[in-house]
Amino acid sequence: MTQKTSLLTLLLLLALCLSQPLQAEDGYRLWLRYDQVQEKTRLQQYRQLVSEVVVEGNSPTLAIVRKEIAMGLKGLLSQEVAVGQQASKAGTLLLGTPASSPLVASLQLSDQLKAIGTEGYLILTTQLQGRPATVIAANSDMGVLYGTFCFLRLLQSAEDITKLAINSTPKIQHRVLNHWDNLDRTVERGYAGFSLWDWHKLPGYIDQRYLDYARANASIGINGTVLTNVNANALVLTRDYLVKVKALADAFRPYGLKVYLTARFSAPIEIGGLKTADPLDPTVQSWWNEKSAEIYSLIPDFGGFLVKANSEGQPGPQNYGRNHADGANMLADAVAPQGGIVMWRAFVYDDKEPDDRAKQAYSGFKPLDGTFRKNVMVQVKNGAIDFQPREPFHPLFGAMPKTPIMMEFQITQEYLGQGTNLAYLAPMFRETLLADTHAKGKGSTVAKVIDGTLDNHTLTGIAGVANIGTDRNWTGHLFGQSNWYAFGRLAWNHQLHSEDIAAEWIKMTFNSNANVVIPVQNMMLTSREAVVNYMTPLGLHHIMGWSHHYGPGPWIKDKHRADWTSVYYHRADEQGIGFDRTKTGSNAIAQYYPPVQKLFGNPKTCPEEFLLWFHHVKWDYKVKSGKTLWNELCYRYSTGVDQVRQMQKTWAGLEQHLDDERFTHVASLLKIQEEEAKWWRDACLLYFQTFSKRPIPSDLEKPAQTLEHYMQLDPKFVPGI
Ligand code: GCW
């Protein structure tokens, strides 16, 4: 190479480097990006109002507060802001608790602080030593950290901070992620790589990711994490693993994140050498008591156990002729001395049981109301089948007033397009939370059941099955981050609106330019409905591919379990389609309170989105649009595809406002989503047409392939099994 060409190459390389953004926009930073505020007037306002910061007090959590606020302000304000620790000089931003900070104590906030509980916070515009100031105050250091994240969120969203009078308290006590992570690092129903927990290198190696994970959770108020899969492995309860769990718990603690484990019911046999796991056997009880004491000796604030028992092959108390309360209470007694809790899942059904799967959890659990220990919560999925794109609320909500009922949502998109589809789930979560059980008259919403206000419970909880893995952007699909975010925000305050949560997330994740916020918000808000349309419109459910649950499979039948086939659920025949769950059918409807029964029980009043969930409907039945059921089905499936195409268009229009990396990532996935939406539409319509024997309306796009083509597709190595 000549000198001249090498110089040229060097210059070229330099030019290339300069044209790259300074920080790769690979999604790693989530919603905590802290890039400089773009709105000039806001930036000025912030620089004026927050020129000095004081965080009084010392604790690992306050050290995080100090670091976070310094980092946040440095990025957002693009200038160094001094973060002092001494009370000598009042800052314009003061953070602390009355216990940690004499300055906060001097503000006489005790009445306001009394009202916000241990985890809540206040953010107030006030006067401090005769100067205007902003104060973030709480009763605990964690409250201060939550307040810090809230304050930074205001800045990230370019909100006015001149007259703040915020008080915020979580409505639900236990806000927990459930990781379905196996010890070999595979993740059941995980679409974002492998498990974050590197068991092999633990306890010695603390990956920076653990801290970043805990920080992200703290930023949205999540305060618990179940590290292991509900399809549990007893090994995690052995000493070798418990010291690893301890290392994680120690790393998470300053972020207010408690660790929980799944308890395999047969652990006393598998790792304890006992002959039985009968919960009424004293040797079994003492095994669990000792195991629990061992865990607490390592992890003094261990949260407790999550259990899946006697369901889908998991062992449980019924193996010994005992009931779920016997099993839950044994574990509850074991963790009670140290303040632990048990989250006992109601996702229990059996293919040997001839009754409608949708009825089995209610039938099994309702009679046990009032028999659980005080530190047990029964964890109920949002719907009675299994995290389908749309399900009516689970009849157990409102049915067990003497038992704290915990919500289980699925954040990972097992049934909503897995790793490739954009589906913003806040509207789905909200739909269930707002549903009215009528348990104590009108207005007895599911939200009031789980936040404890309906039946006066103080023990309350909500869980989300995590969508997080080792992928650089944490969730595989960038928009998966919005579901982690929305879950946390709703767990803290279920009254937040989906559109507001979306707007917050967009502003923090991209920017607060209205040309970005509004179109992306629109995309997000239609996305879940789009998925319902192209997968399971009008109340259809459980018609996905076998085992991996990827893609359509309405033809699945003749498997070893009928309740895992599709024909069990859609019941299509020459007359019509849908599962009759009224009196003439399985009568699952009787599990709801009378006003709900009445509403769902009549096809005329049943919300159309649940029509085929509760009714077997004739192909020529006239739906609200005036179309026949068959034509409506065809239009809905097609609408779903059109909605994805609209999302693609919207996204394409944003190119100039977004960084290349994330723009291309989402654009490519939307293309895949369009293909998959067409696949669902065509496969389902062709299959159901073999029963309806009616044409697909001529103004709709024709299926691209034959039914036989779709039926022989057999994708291999689908992630998440
Ligand atoms: O959604 C189904 C999944 C299983 C899962 C089960 C459950 C962990 O297909 O993979 O097992 O539910 O919730 O227990």
Side-chain angles (χ1 to χ4, degrees):
M1 218 191 298
T2 65
Q3 235 181 355
K4 204 166 143 197
T5 48
S6 65
L7 191 73
L8 256 173
T9 326
L10 206 76
L11 280 173
L12 218 75
L13 270 174
L14 195 73
L16 210 79
C17 288
L18 289 176
S19 68
Q20 295 293 315
L22 286 176
Q23 184 126 23
E25 291 287 9
D26 55 12
Y28 187 84
R29 292 188 294 161
L30 296 162
W31 48 86
L32 300 169
R33 293 166 65 257
Y34 302 148
D35 285 349
Q36 189 194 311
V37 174
Q38 291 306 304
E39 288 74 357
K40 291 256 149 44
T41 47
R42 282 284 187 258
L43 183 61
Q44 266 164 10
Q45 181 192 94
Y46 299 162
R47 281 178 172 167
Q48 251 168 30
L49 289 174
V50 197
S51 55
E52 333 151 29
V53 181
V54 171
V55 185
E56 283 185 310
N58 264 318
S59 74
T61 301
L62 288 177
I64 290 168
V65 167
R66 207 167 275 126
K67 197 170 148 196
E68 196 69 36
I69 197 81
M71 177 168 71
L73 294 177
K74 183 177 176 189
L76 288 159
L77 274 51
S78 233
Q79 66 180 26
E80 290 290 343
V81 176
V83 179
Q85 203 176 333
Q86 295 306 319
S88 57
K89 195 165 138 210
T92 49
L93 176 64
L94 170 67
L95 302 95
T97 68
S100 75
S101 160
L103 272 177
V104 170
S106 76
L107 288 171
Q108 316 277 317
L109 296 171
S110 51
D111 281 350
Q112 293 180 66
L113 284 168
K114 229 177 252 153
I116 59 165
T118 25
E119 291 179 303
Y121 55 83
L122 305 170
I123 308 182
L124 308 171
T125 304
T126 179
Q127 291 277 319
L128 198 62
Q129 300 177 341
R131 293 197 299 168
T134 309
V135 173
I136 303 178
N139 294 308
S140 68
D141 295 349
M142 263 320 292
V144 180
L145 183 57
Y146 290 141
T148 304
F149 280 116
C150 173
F151 182 73
L152 289 168
R153 183 160 67 230
L154 298 176
L155 269 51
Q156 286 176 282
S157 318
E159 297 284 338
D160 185 355
I161 59 159
T162 49
K163 287 187 214 69
L164 295 175
I166 297 175
N167 65 65
S168 186
T169 309
K171 294 196 194 311
I172 296 175
Q173 191 190 0
H174 296 282
R175 306 174 298 278
V176 182
L177 285 181
N178 287 184
H179 288 269
W180 288 355
D181 293 17
N182 299 313
L183 298 182
D184 65 3
R185 297 193 76 180
T186 56
V187 180
E188 185 157 346
R189 312 309 176 184
Y191 311 101
F194 288 90
S195 168
L196 289 184
W197 328 132
D198 190 347
W199 297 107
H200 182 67
K201 294 205 198 92
L202 282 164
Y205 184 74
I206 298 299
D207 193 325
Q208 176 61 34
R209 269 229 156 171
Y210 304 151
L211 306 178
D212 294 341
Y213 162 85
R215 167 178 173 248
N217 281 321
S219 78
I220 50 177
I222 290 172
N223 65 2
T225 179
V226 184
L227 299 176
T228 45
N229 192 351
V230 288
N231 289 331
N233 188 330
L235 278 182
V236 79
L237 300 175
T238 58
R239 184 85 189 178
D240 284 355
Y241 275 91
L242 289 176
V243 295
K244 298 168 192 274
V245 174
K246 172 190 163 47
L248 288 174
D250 290 344
F252 297 163
R253 186 169 299 111
Y255 296 89
L257 193 64
K258 261 191 192 181
V259 159
Y260 300 76
L261 292 174
T262 46
R264 183 155 167 93
F265 206 77
S266 49
I269 303 172
E270 289 175 43
I271 59 166
L274 302 190
K275 294 234 160 10
T276 174
D278 181 351
L280 299 193
D281 183 311
T283 55
V284 174
Q285 294 169 350
S286 21
W287 187 86
W288 280 109
N289 292 345
E290 280 159 31
K291 185 47 77 184
S292 170
E294 181 189 358
I295 298 176
Y296 279 100
S297 72
L298 293 166
I299 308 163
D301 57 353
F302 177 64
F305 294 121
L306 168 66
V307 188
K308 170 175 179 179
N310 293 119
S311 179
E312 300 185 333
Q314 291 299 302
Q318 290 176 343
N319 299 22
Y320 307 94
R322 316 298 183 193
N323 67 32
H324 285 279
D326 296 328
N329 291 344
M330 172 193 60
L331 292 173
D333 290 342
V335 294
Q338 295 89 352
I341 59 167
V342 169
M343 299 170 285
W344 192 271
R345 295 176 90 221
F347 179 69
V348 176
Y349 67 104
D350 188 352
D351 60 319
K352 308 285 176 302
E353 165 68 58
D355 210 1
D356 178 1
R357 170 173 165 190
K359 291 170 67 179
Q360 294 182 28
Y362 179 102
S363 311
F365 278 82
K366 184 174 165 58
L368 301 177
D369 191 26
T371 65
F372 290 96
R373 294 281 192 271
K374 276 204 193 66
N375 56 335
V376 175
M377 279 191 277
V378 171
Q379 182 169 311
V380 179
K381 288 188 181 182
N382 57 296
I385 296 294
D386 192 7
F387 298 138
Q388 293 301 293
R390 170 167 275 129
E391 296 200 24
F393 72 89
H394 201 300
L396 270 176
F397 295 113
M400 297 179 65
K402 296 190 196 121
T403 311
I405 299 293
M406 190 170 172
M407 172 65 77
E408 179 175 321
F409 284 130
Q410 193 179 42
I411 311 172
T412 189
Q413 291 168 236
E414 176 179 1
Y415 300 103
L416 284 106
Q418 305 196 347
T420 47
N421 289 198
L422 191 166
Y424 171 56
L425 302 181
M428 183 174 85
F429 300 156
R430 286 271 293 163
E431 191 172 295
T432 307
L433 291 165
L434 289 172
D436 195 346
T437 68
H438 286 268
K440 289 194 169 164
K442 206 167 160 13
S444 308
T445 59
V446 171
K448 287 187 186 164
V449 174
I450 63 158
D451 73 10
T453 53
L454 192 71
D455 300 305
N456 282 320
H457 290 295
T458 46
L459 178 61
T460 55
I462 180 166
V465 180
N467 61 348
I468 303 159
T470 50
D471 276 9
R472 182 68 193 158
N473 71 5
W474 301 87
T475 52
H477 197 306
L478 183 79
F479 277 77
Q481 296 181 359
S482 71
N483 294 328
W484 179 9
Y485 183 82
F487 169 75
R489 298 287 288 133
L490 284 171
W492 183 279
N493 179 5
H494 55 67
Q495 286 170 349
L496 294 177
H497 292 237
S498 306
E499 47 272 39
D500 297 334
I501 299 173
E504 280 178 6
W505 180 80
I506 298 162
K507 288 175 186 170
M508 293 191 283
T509 302
F510 299 109
N511 56 58
S512 42
N513 177 349
N515 294 326
V516 172
V517 177
I518 292 165
V520 177
Q521 194 185 29
N522 287 337
M523 271 174 71
M524 289 170 75
L525 291 172
T526 49
S527 59
R528 182 271 187 144
E529 212 56 48
V531 173
V532 171
N533 282 331
Y534 62 74
M535 288 187 185
T536 53
L538 293 166
L540 285 173
H541 51 287
H542 207 292
I543 54 171
M544 65 285 158
W546 173 250
S547 175
H548 49 58
H549 298 170
Y550 170 65
W555 45 80
I556 304 286
K557 60 174 180 183
D558 301 333
K559 296 287 184 185
H560 66 284
R561 287 184 69 143
D563 55 5
W564 285 356
T565 66
S566 301
V567 296
Y568 176 98
Y569 297 96
H570 65 66
R571 311 212 162 189
D573 57 27
E574 301 216 339
Q575 272 75 53
I577 181 170
F579 198 135
D580 182 1
R581 292 192 163 107
T582 68
K583 277 198 207 87
T584 51
S586 80
N587 206 21
I589 216 125
Q591 295 183 335
Y592 290 102
Y593 283 88
V596 183
Q597 273 179 43
K598 209 170 144 217
L599 182 76
F600 291 164
N602 177 350
K604 292 282 167 224
T605 56
C606 181
E608 229 155 50
E609 66 256 33
F610 299 133
L611 189 61
L612 305 180
W613 188 283
F614 290 114
H615 302 277
H616 189 77
V617 181
K618 292 208 163 41
W619 293 114
D620 286 330
Y621 176 85
K622 284 264 177 332
V623 300
K624 290 186 186 117
S625 65
K627 294 190 185 75
T628 63
L629 176 73
W630 166 250
N631 282 351
E632 183 72 16
L633 207 61
C634 295
Y635 279 101
R636 296 236 181 174
Y637 269 109
S638 299
T639 302
V641 176
D642 294 343
Q643 286 169 314
V644 177
R645 289 177 177 152
Q646 185 53 50
M647 293 203 280
Q648 288 179 292
K649 267 200 206 120
T650 307
W651 190 255
L654 293 170
E655 187 164 7
Q656 50 173 322
H657 301 297
L658 300 173
D659 53 282
D660 289 350
E661 196 168 347
R662 292 183 301 172
F663 174 79
T664 311
H665 163 86
V666 175
S668 315
L669 288 170
L670 282 170
K671 182 78 197 121
I672 297 178
Q673 186 168 0
E674 188 206 353
E675 293 304 321
E676 292 181 353
K678 284 193 292 184
W679 176 24
W680 270 93
R681 176 196 66 188
D682 294 351
C684 290
L685 287 180
L686 287 171
Y687 170 76
F688 290 132
Q689 193 178 35
T690 64
F691 300 96
S692 80
K693 312 224 185 311
R694 284 154 175 80
I696 295 173
S698 57
D699 55 328
L700 298 179
E701 219 170 83
K702 303 269 161 306
Q705 304 280 350
T706 60
L707 177 59
E708 292 63 40
H709 166 85
Y710 295 116
M711 286 178 69
Q712 54 77 38
L713 293 177
D714 185 15
K716 296 284 190 296
F717 303 115
V718 176
I721 307 179

